[in-house]
Amino acid sequence: MAKRLMRKSLCAAGMAVSLMVPASAAYAVADVLETPAMKSDLAPKRLLNDAVRAGDRILAAGERGHIIYSDDNGKTWVQGDVPVSTTLTGISFGTETHGWAVGHSGVILHTNDAGATWQLQMTGEDAARLAIAAKEEQAEAIQERIDEAPEDEKGDLEWALDDIYFALDNLKSDLDIGPVNPLLDIWFENERHGIAVGAYGMALQTRDGGQTWQYMADELDNPQSFHLNDVARVTGGALVIVGEAGQVHVSADNGGSWERRESPYDGSLFGVLGTGQMNEMLIFGLRGNMFISSDLGRTWRAITNTAGATLNSGAVPDKNEVVLVGNGGTVLFSANGAESFREYFRDDREGIMDVVPVSGNNLLLFGEGGVKRTDARGRNLQ
């Protein structure tokens, strides 16, 4: 069986452990959920998986529950107070002060003071209970249809009911082990509406700032529960989720409903990025595969990438500019709206998980070696 790949590939080994924790080791998961992240001067130099700009502040999240922030374009960093020490994989701000982070053990964290302090809003156990309740409702509804259906329609409905019971058994088994499955990315448009996605098809949505979350996975055409790696909004307002097995899900009504697009690639997609053009999006992932669509994923065009390294994230520094980053110190830059890219490999060859453009056409790179300040090409600033 092929290895299933998810976003944050640098953490693959750690995630593999996280996804296969035996019941006897469940206490270790509880430990990291109850142990605050340790303050360390080395936090900006350790693995950072995701970064975001919130007003003039830049924040990044990574291993051991580290969340750091800078108010001077990355010259100096302060570590926030985080109540967990599990690896964090995604961070998003809906306003300059209201932000959320997600990570291993299905954690969702929230801050209302621009990242200085964080509170635990949800764990994987909470998410599993939401999923179980949704599946039980589905099972009850299908059973009612079976009771009322003609004999020639009962067979298909009974197969569907069996599938739901199978999924329920798996969810209940996960709940017995504990909150082990990671959330991989999160997106918020304001202080109320947000979406979180993760391993094994987990998808959650809130419209009240995370006071309550709704199980959204069944609204996506993902019957095999493939991993969901990234969620983003593109110019024009559409929301896009990408993931394992080339999944591309698009919502044109702000998350109210979703359509799965025919994918140009059947491998893992780790990122989606709006280019700044109306309804245009760039998707990318395993082995450097990347494709662009100008019609919300109805048609695609492959983009040549001779670098070949897996791509993890990207940004749009300015009009017609796109920068993508990935494994092996890969930095790709386009000045023509992603028509073509200039490639650069950093000497340290450390994997890069995210990038934030800063003043003077410079970049902040986040990844295996922490945060690095570089020029537009990816070369370290003196």
Side-chain angles (χ1 to χ4, degrees):
M1 180 178 179
K3 181 179 179 181
R4 297 183 64 178
L5 295 174
M6 62 184 74
R7 191 172 183 244
K8 317 304 180 191
S9 55
L10 280 171
C11 297
M15 284 187 177
V17 173
S18 155
L19 294 171
M20 296 183 289
V21 175
S24 60
Y27 70 90
V29 175
D31 286 349
V32 296
L33 293 181
E34 297 170 0
T35 303
M38 183 179 296
K39 291 296 184 72
S40 171
D41 292 338
L42 296 177
K45 299 180 180 180
R46 295 294 183 255
L47 175 64
L48 296 167
N49 287 316
D50 203 20
V52 66
R53 180 180 286 280
D56 293 329
R57 177 166 288 185
I58 298 169
L59 303 98
E63 67 175 350
R64 301 176 184 175
H66 291 164
I67 295 180
I68 59 175
Y69 59 89
S70 172
D71 295 324
D72 56 10
N73 281 330
K75 295 177 184 177
T76 60
W77 294 89
V78 177
Q79 188 175 352
D81 293 325
V82 178
V84 300
S85 53
T86 187
T87 293
L88 301 175
T89 54
I91 186 169
S92 176
F93 271 67
T95 70
E96 292 187 7
T97 56
H98 285 269
W100 286 260
V102 296
H104 288 198
S105 306
V107 300
I108 299 179
L109 304 172
H110 174 243
T111 178
N112 58 12
D113 59 7
T117 60
W118 295 79
Q119 299 79 42
L120 181 62
Q121 200 169 66
M122 174 175 276
T123 72
E125 286 187 349
D126 301 319
R129 291 189 182 96
L130 288 176
I132 289 170
K135 293 297 183 183
E136 288 176 339
E137 284 187 17
Q138 290 178 26
E140 184 177 346
I142 289 182
Q143 185 60 64
E144 290 178 358
R145 290 176 60 191
I146 291 174
D147 294 340
E148 299 172 359
E151 286 300 321
D152 60 347
E153 296 180 8
K154 289 183 184 292
D156 289 342
L157 290 171
E158 288 170 347
W159 276 109
L161 186 60
D162 285 343
D163 288 342
I164 292 175
Y165 282 142
F166 180 77
L168 265 171
D169 287 342
N170 286 337
L171 288 167
K172 290 177 179 178
S173 295
D174 287 345
L175 192 57
D176 288 341
I177 294 172
V180 295
N181 292 336
L183 289 171
L184 302 173
D185 196 35
I186 191 162
W187 165 88
F188 264 79
E189 71 166 323
N190 50 41
E191 62 185 65
R192 298 185 64 81
H193 179 215
I195 294 172
V197 297
Y200 300 110
M202 179 58 72
L204 302 166
Q205 185 165 206
T206 180
R207 295 189 183 272
D208 59 11
Q211 295 182 51
T212 59
W213 289 85
Q214 290 74 49
Y215 181 68
M216 195 185 79
D218 289 332
E219 299 173 27
L220 305 177
D221 181 9
N222 183 20
Q224 293 173 290
S225 297
F226 287 125
H227 303 319
L228 303 174
N229 293 322
D230 198 23
V231 53
R233 167 165 277 169
V234 303
T235 300
L239 296 172
V240 186
I241 295 172
V242 298
E244 187 183 17
Q247 290 181 89
V248 180
H249 304 274
V250 176
S251 173
D253 58 4
N254 208 31
S257 61
W258 296 84
E259 294 181 7
R260 182 164 178 173
R261 298 293 194 238
E262 185 174 348
S263 179
Y265 177 56
D266 60 5
S268 288
L269 296 170
F270 296 131
V272 55
L273 180 68
T275 65
Q277 301 298 318
M278 183 67 68
N279 294 335
E280 188 170 85
M281 58 181 167
L282 181 67
I283 60 174
F284 46 88
L286 192 64
R287 300 187 183 94
N289 283 282
M290 53 177 160
F291 305 85
I292 195 166
S293 172
S294 299
D295 54 10
L296 295 181
R298 294 180 177 87
T299 60
W300 297 95
R301 176 171 54 84
I303 299 176
T304 301
N305 175 17
T306 59
T310 289
L311 298 171
N312 297 314
S313 191
V316 178
D318 205 346
K319 185 177 181 181
N320 291 325
E321 293 182 348
V322 178
V323 59
L324 299 176
V325 295
N327 292 356
T330 302
V331 181
L332 304 180
F333 180 82
S334 173
N336 56 10
E339 290 292 324
S340 61
F341 284 83
R342 179 188 67 203
E343 62 189 49
Y344 177 72
F345 299 97
R346 289 173 48 80
D347 290 341
D348 56 29
R349 295 289 176 161
E350 292 175 330
I352 309 169
M353 304 306 296
D354 206 357
V355 55
V356 173
V358 292
S359 60
N361 294 321
N362 295 327
L363 304 173
L364 293 180
L365 305 181
F366 302 85
E368 192 175 13
V371 56
K372 305 289 178 65
R373 298 175 64 241
T374 78
D375 63 15
R377 188 174 177 179
R379 297 171 297 194
N380 283 352
L381 296 175
Q382 298 300 322

